[in-house]
Amino acid sequence: MLRQNRQRKSKTGKTSLFSGIVYCADCGEKLYYCTANNFEKRRDFFECSTHRKNDEKCKSHYISAVVLEDMVRMHMKTVISYTLHYEDHFRAVVQEQQK
């Protein structure tokens, strides 16, 4: 149920995997998913909620949804590669963090 609320559909009916879990690196506020019916997927983006309310507090911070997906995918590949090459060390670090 929590996950459903995080992925509320926009007025267009579209959702993003990252809706509700992406935050501005500068002010820490949520980034809102922005799209339109006439947008191609590559034009969807996330915009800082602080900037939406008051552009003096936080300058225009946004990221393309496609760029965000690519960055997450690249990071996942890096982590997976690390775990494959240093499995014993990775396992030890994870076990230590779970204590």
Side-chain angles (χ1 to χ4, degrees):
M1 178 123 175
L2 277 174
R3 190 68 198 140
Q4 286 177 327
N5 291 335
R6 286 187 172 198
Q7 283 195 327
R8 289 183 298 202
K9 292 182 179 179
S10 64
K11 291 178 183 178
T12 64
K14 295 181 184 179
T15 61
S16 169
L17 176 65
F18 301 108
S19 292
I21 60 173
V22 184
Y23 294 87
C24 179
D26 292 324
C27 70
E29 293 297 318
K30 282 187 179 181
L31 296 180
Y32 287 117
Y33 180 56
C34 302
T35 187
N37 282 329
N38 59 346
F39 274 12
E40 298 172 15
K41 180 178 170 72
R42 66 182 178 83
R43 293 191 56 204
D44 294 350
F45 63 96
F46 287 87
E47 180 182 32
C48 176
S49 61
T50 300
H51 174 75
R52 271 184 166 182
K53 296 172 195 167
N54 182 347
D55 63 358
E56 293 302 314
K57 286 187 178 179
C58 191
K59 297 300 178 191
S60 182
H61 292 109
Y62 66 94
I63 187 169
S64 161
V66 173
V67 169
L68 179 61
E69 290 170 10
D70 288 345
M71 290 174 64
V72 169
R73 189 177 301 111
M74 187 171 48
H75 183 71
M76 289 174 65
K77 285 180 180 180
T78 302
V79 170
I80 291 168
S81 175
Y82 177 85
T83 59
L84 290 174
H85 287 93
Y86 304 102
E87 184 177 350
D88 293 336
H89 177 70
F90 180 78
R91 186 180 294 120
V93 169
V94 170
Q95 287 174 343
E96 185 63 31
Q97 289 178 349
Q98 290 178 346
K99 290 182 180 179

